[in-house]
Amino acid sequence: MSVLTTVLSREIRKTEETAAMERALQKNRLTHHLMPPTGWLNDPNGLCYFKGRYHVFFQYAPFEANGGLKFWGHYSSEDMVNWRYEGVPLFPDSIHDCHGVYSGSALVDGDKMHLFFTGNVKMDGDFDYINNGRQDSTIHVESTDGIHFGNKEVAIHYTEYPDSYTCHIRDPKVWKDDQGYHMVLGGRKKGDHGTVLFYRSQDLKNWEYDRELTTENTFGYMWECPDCFELSGAKVLSVSPQGLTREEERFQNIYQSGYFIRQDGNVQEENFREWDMGFDFYAPQTFEDAKGRRILIGWMGMPDADEEYTNPTAEQENWQHCLTVPREVTLKSDMLYQWPVEEINTLRGEATELTAENTEIEAEGPFDLEVQVQGERIALHLGENLWLEYADGKASLHLSEAAGAGRKIRNAQIPSGKLTGIRILVDTSAAEIYLNGGEVVFSTRYYPENLKQNVKIDADNVHGKIYRLNSMTYTEN
Ligand code: FRU
């Protein structure tokens, strides 16, 4: 350990210990969403299942709730509901990543966990930091226990990327197949065209540029956090594009996250589907677990959204943002559906039946509501804080002035044309709404004054249940 790492790790522990003492007073701390012990969290990183445990790393700025120098934080779990905080495995402590250990992924190969990430370096001087002044090497570390990592090695030096690119290439996602190892990186080509770049390797050390993939017309100036996987025969490319023009029912946030199902290996902009239609969802990553499930976790946050909406936790409780619950991804009718992994059901407690005669109930804290619905017009209200409306094949999510902290309305077309099912996971300051078994999802932060809220459904017919949702457990390593 370098002196810098020792000092930083001591400082993080102190900051987290102080935060631990303050936790009891923090009403917005989440019960079933992973959040930073203190400070700021963004993208999920290094998701994998390794030697009997799920690993969730995340972009972490422990010293500042409004973002800052990025480290990787780390949670692990046997079952995705009982979590252990493992501390900070990666520090910005080398000449290749001194301004941030940026996003990346894990590859489990044999008895090792490999992490690949982007080292962010901003040079001092008069630079625009797009075409010059920034280094973005891809870095590799490995581990045999998933907790302690060896030396940082440069896998791709920033000078080796193709000349046609700006200094914005990052967020490696790595996988293995019969041909060897593969990596996809997100990029901003000169001329502001978002793309992904593919690299190949036979030994995880030497990486060779293979090719780029992008849409015919420019679809955003930058594609962040790419992911590439096959699911039930479909070849999927997930990206987080920046620079799309906002529309009424699509691309409503400042930046988007979505996927293409590739046709003959290519991607067409008209085939791009957003993963999530809520206010707070970005930079998702997937992995395959030991049961063969494709699991997605997203960042429940939005970069650069603070002119429109905010998270009061940053000022009031010194932390900001969280991750979505792990969602199983499946392919249905040429689309990807997302659904909370079944382990979340183990948190369900006491249940109350919701029927056409009983459509209103007072909830007192976090809950999981799952109902089948019928009707031309349907509405679901959480007190006056948040409501979902459905009519004419469209759904819209509304937040009140008080609970939204700037969030107002998000719309979504329902591809199958009709609303038949609603599931909503409601946490202290977050809600995930799944329509039609995960055909459309809205994720949002929200800040109700009181967790006692009247849950009310208006529909021609309703049947299902609302369960109290117990807290996930957190321990510290
Ligand atoms: C996405 C992102 C990534 C980058 C990381 C830095 O939110 O901008 O592209 O690696 O965050 O924290």
Side-chain angles (χ1 to χ4, degrees):
M1 247 197 196
S2 70
V3 176
L4 178 64
T5 311
T6 314
V7 172
L8 285 173
S9 95
R10 207 183 306 128
E11 285 308 309
I12 292 173
R13 275 284 169 212
K14 268 200 278 174
T15 314
E16 287 173 352
E17 274 163 22
T18 317
M21 290 189 293
E22 291 165 354
R23 265 176 213 164
L25 302 170
Q26 300 183 338
K27 79 178 186 98
N28 292 308
R29 288 195 77 84
L30 297 156
T31 65
H32 58 275
H33 286 89
L34 289 174
M35 56 174 284
T38 182
W40 161 283
L41 164 151
N42 58 299
D43 317 353
N45 291 156
L47 304 180
C48 64
Y49 185 76
F50 179 63
K51 298 189 177 172
R53 295 187 77 79
Y54 290 91
H55 291 265
V56 174
F57 300 86
F58 58 92
Q59 287 284 285
Y60 188 21
F63 303 124
E64 289 143 282
N66 284 309
L69 186 61
K70 299 289 163 50
F71 300 65
W72 276 30
H74 184 192
Y75 284 104
S76 85
S77 169
E78 272 179 19
D79 54 11
M80 295 191 276
V81 287
N82 298 294
W83 292 96
R84 193 160 79 196
Y85 176 63
E86 304 283 7
V88 172
L90 297 178
F91 293 80
D93 58 358
S94 85
I95 52 164
H96 303 295
D97 63 6
C98 53
H99 297 122
V101 188
Y102 273 13
S103 282
S105 60
L107 172 79
V108 171
D109 195 28
D111 70 343
K112 282 192 183 159
M113 182 199 287
H114 299 263
L115 300 180
F116 288 86
F117 60 88
T118 303
N120 183 45
V121 178
K122 282 175 104 174
M123 275 115 76
D124 269 345
D126 184 18
F127 296 116
D128 69 1
Y129 298 105
I130 297 170
N131 295 293
N132 46 45
R134 187 191 280 270
Q135 303 175 7
D136 50 3
S137 298
T138 300
I139 302 172
H140 173 205
V141 291
E142 51 183 63
S143 167
T144 50
D145 64 3
I147 309 290
H148 305 93
F149 292 85
N151 289 341
K152 292 177 179 171
E153 287 179 8
V154 174
I156 309 172
H157 194 258
Y158 73 96
T159 52
E160 294 167 25
Y161 296 125
D163 289 341
S164 49
Y165 277 79
T166 65
C167 312
H168 287 262
I169 294 185
R170 58 176 167 268
D171 310 335
K173 178 84 195 303
V174 175
W175 71 99
K176 185 185 182 183
D177 68 14
D178 304 344
Q179 323 282 300
Y181 301 101
H182 302 266
M183 181 190 292
V184 61
L185 286 152
R188 173 173 184 163
K189 252 189 127 164
K190 286 180 184 156
D192 289 342
H193 188 99
T195 73
V196 294
L197 300 89
F198 290 99
Y199 280 76
R200 277 198 297 226
S201 171
Q202 292 303 323
D203 57 7
L204 291 175
K205 308 241 175 252
N206 299 292
W207 290 88
E208 192 191 329
Y209 176 65
D210 182 4
R211 77 211 137 92
E212 69 178 23
L213 180 65
T214 186
T215 45
E216 198 176 332
N217 299 316
T218 300
F219 190 68
Y221 59 81
M222 168 73 193
W223 289 3
E224 294 193 308
C225 300
D227 196 349
C228 216
F229 57 91
E230 252 189 76
L231 189 64
S232 310
K235 288 190 177 13
V236 180
L237 175 71
S238 167
V239 286
S240 293
Q242 301 187 318
L244 300 180
T245 309
R246 287 179 187 223
E247 296 175 16
E248 269 291 288
E249 287 167 5
R250 296 196 313 163
F251 314 152
Q252 296 157 91
N253 294 330
I254 176 166
Y255 306 135
Q256 330 317 112
S257 293
Y259 63 88
F260 302 96
I261 294 189
R262 291 165 66 180
Q263 313 292 333
D264 302 324
N266 296 319
V267 291
Q268 278 90 22
E269 43 191 292
E270 59 276 17
N271 293 337
F272 182 80
R273 279 199 67 79
E274 287 173 77
W275 283 111
D276 191 295
M277 305 307 289
F279 295 91
D280 298 282
F281 185 91
Y282 193 66
Q285 187 177 95
T286 73
F287 69 107
E288 190 180 313
D289 80 347
K291 297 178 182 158
R293 294 180 293 183
R294 177 60 51 181
I295 297 175
L296 174 144
I297 297 180
W299 171 29
M300 249 175 110
M302 183 55 60
D304 305 326
D306 36 351
E307 300 229 322
E308 267 176 278
Y309 49 93
T310 56
N311 295 298
T313 55
E315 283 67 43
Q316 293 163 11
E317 301 180 359
N318 205 26
W319 66 277
Q320 190 169 191
H321 301 308
C322 66
L323 300 179
T324 64
V325 299
R327 302 171 175 177
E328 185 173 354
V329 182
T330 49
L331 180 79
K332 276 184 215 160
S333 336
D334 292 331
M335 277 177 40
L336 299 179
Y337 278 55
Q338 301 162 72
W339 194 244
V341 292
E342 64 187 13
E343 287 85 340
I344 296 292
N345 295 359
T346 64
L347 298 174
R348 287 175 166 182
E350 188 196 330
T352 308
E353 207 85 39
L354 289 163
T355 60
E357 290 73 46
N358 184 29
T359 56
E360 205 170 331
I361 176 175
E362 189 169 70
E364 281 198 35
F367 64 83
D368 180 358
L369 173 151
E370 192 176 348
V371 288
Q372 301 304 313
V373 284
Q374 274 175 3
E376 293 301 313
R377 303 185 76 82
I378 297 169
L380 183 150
H381 285 258
L382 305 190
E384 290 178 358
N385 300 310
L386 178 157
W387 62 103
L388 179 82
E389 285 177 355
Y390 162 78
D392 303 325
K394 289 184 204 169
S396 53
L397 167 68
H398 304 254
L399 273 80
S400 71
E401 186 83 34
R407 292 165 186 79
K408 294 188 174 73
I409 178 170
R410 287 292 177 264
N411 302 305
Q413 287 277 359
I414 299 182
S416 64
K418 202 165 155 193
L419 181 62
T420 54
I422 307 175
R423 178 163 180 194
I424 166 161
L425 293 177
V426 175
D427 207 329
T428 46
S429 59
E432 296 186 43
I433 304 169
Y434 297 80
L435 306 184
N436 297 348
E439 182 187 5
V440 173
V441 189
F442 291 97
S443 297
T444 190
R445 301 300 305 280
Y446 88 122
Y447 296 93
E449 196 38 54
N450 192 335
L451 282 185
K452 245 192 196 170
Q453 34 185 3
N454 219 33
V455 181
K456 185 168 175 279
I457 304 180
D458 293 315
D460 295 349
N461 203 355
V462 179
H463 82 103
K465 283 184 181 157
I466 176 166
Y467 305 84
R468 275 174 189 260
L469 209 51
N470 295 317
S471 187
M472 301 195 304
T473 67
Y474 300 92
T475 52
E476 295 229 347
N477 200 354

